[in-house]
Amino acid sequence: LKRIKVLSVNRATYTAFGAKSEEEFLANFHLHSLFSQDFRVLRETLIALAEGKHQFRSEFYYRPAKGKEGYAILHLDVARGDEATLERVIVSVIDISDRKQTESALKESESKYRALVEACQDMIWSVDAQGNYTFVNPAVRTIYGYEPEEMIGRAFHDFAPIESRDRMRGEFDLLLSEKKFFQYVIVNISAFNRPIHLLFNGFVRRNTEGHIL
């Protein structure tokens, strides 16, 4: 690491590390401080250079000024003409902390939502434009007597009495063409060949172009 010298940085870099000028940053910066929270990336970078790679990219965790923790993307490009000597390497570090925080919050929200859905005693479901189930929650075990996997991919009207299936298909087609929300009482048949009286609520999700999601 002692042979590696930082020659120049931009304003965004030295201010991120609490320096007031490029000169102050260069006088006090040590390469290991950038990777102090994630030496794995520094090791991978040096290995990549040793193996003759001229470009390298990785995400890493770091701690810039004032103890703030963050995530960044490291881009490394060996300067043209210096491929053999590695005298000049252009490095860019793009902070992605906000994106990581958003991803983390989204994962947490999805986890909470899934926990609620799976614990719900009512059937929660979705179908595609053909009326085939794409999702059902575990409540179908109690309501229908089927495992969720047994219902995925099957048409919703497959679980209705034969004499009701044409009507249900027609109502579904009408829903797709005209309605945004529906609510009606239906009779389905359980895995044990018993009738189930259900109140179905649903709505059609469309994108900005009007296509069904």
Side-chain angles (χ1 to χ4, degrees), residues 57-195:
R57 179 186 184 280
S58 183
E59 291 185 8
F60 70 102
Y61 172 74
Y62 76 117
R63 188 190 299 271
K66 299 179 182 179
K68 178 184 175 184
E69 299 175 350
Y71 288 88
I73 296 177
L74 171 74
H75 288 274
L76 180 148
D77 289 278
V78 177
R80 184 173 298 179
D82 293 317
E83 292 86 356
T85 61
L86 301 179
E87 288 187 6
R88 291 178 302 156
V89 177
I90 301 170
V91 178
S92 64
V93 177
I94 303 171
D95 189 277
I96 57 169
S97 301
D98 290 344
R99 191 190 81 185
K100 284 290 187 179
Q101 290 176 359
T102 301
E103 290 175 352
S104 177
L106 180 59
K107 288 180 180 178
E108 183 178 354
S109 177
E110 289 176 344
S111 177
K112 290 180 178 178
Y113 171 76
R114 180 162 291 276
L116 289 172
V117 168
E118 303 223 344
C120 182
Q121 299 301 305
D122 293 326
M123 178 181 175
I124 299 176
W125 54 275
S126 65
V127 296
D128 59 22
Q130 288 70 49
N132 300 317
Y133 281 116
T134 57
F135 173 81
V136 293
N137 67 334
V140 298
R141 296 191 183 106
T142 302
I143 297 171
Y144 280 89
Y146 289 108
E147 289 296 316
E149 296 78 15
E150 295 180 275
M151 297 182 69
I152 300 299
R154 295 181 61 182
F156 73 97
H157 50 72
D158 283 352
F159 302 92
I162 294 176
E163 63 273 14
S164 301
R165 293 179 184 178
D166 288 341
R167 176 180 60 82
M168 292 183 65
R169 279 193 292 263
E171 291 177 350
F172 181 73
D173 291 340
L174 182 64
L175 166 68
L176 296 184
S177 62
E178 296 182 2
K179 297 181 180 180
K180 294 182 179 179
F181 175 82
F182 70 93
Q183 181 182 76
Y184 59 89
V185 176
I186 64 172
V187 177
N188 275 185
I189 304 299
S190 74
F192 310 108
N193 203 33
R194 291 197 295 263

Side-chain angles (χ1 to χ4, degrees), residues 37-75:
Q37 307 298 315
D38 200 343
F39 276 107
R40 170 190 57 84
V41 174
L42 177 58
R43 183 174 62 252
E44 290 176 354
T45 302
L46 296 177
I47 290 174
L49 290 172
E51 291 177 345
K53 295 180 180 178
H54 300 152
Q55 292 183 331
F56 179 79
R57 179 186 184 280
S58 183
E59 291 185 8
F60 70 102
Y61 172 74
Y62 76 117
R63 188 190 299 271
K66 299 179 182 179
K68 178 184 175 184
E69 299 175 350
Y71 288 88
I73 296 177
L74 171 74
H75 288 274

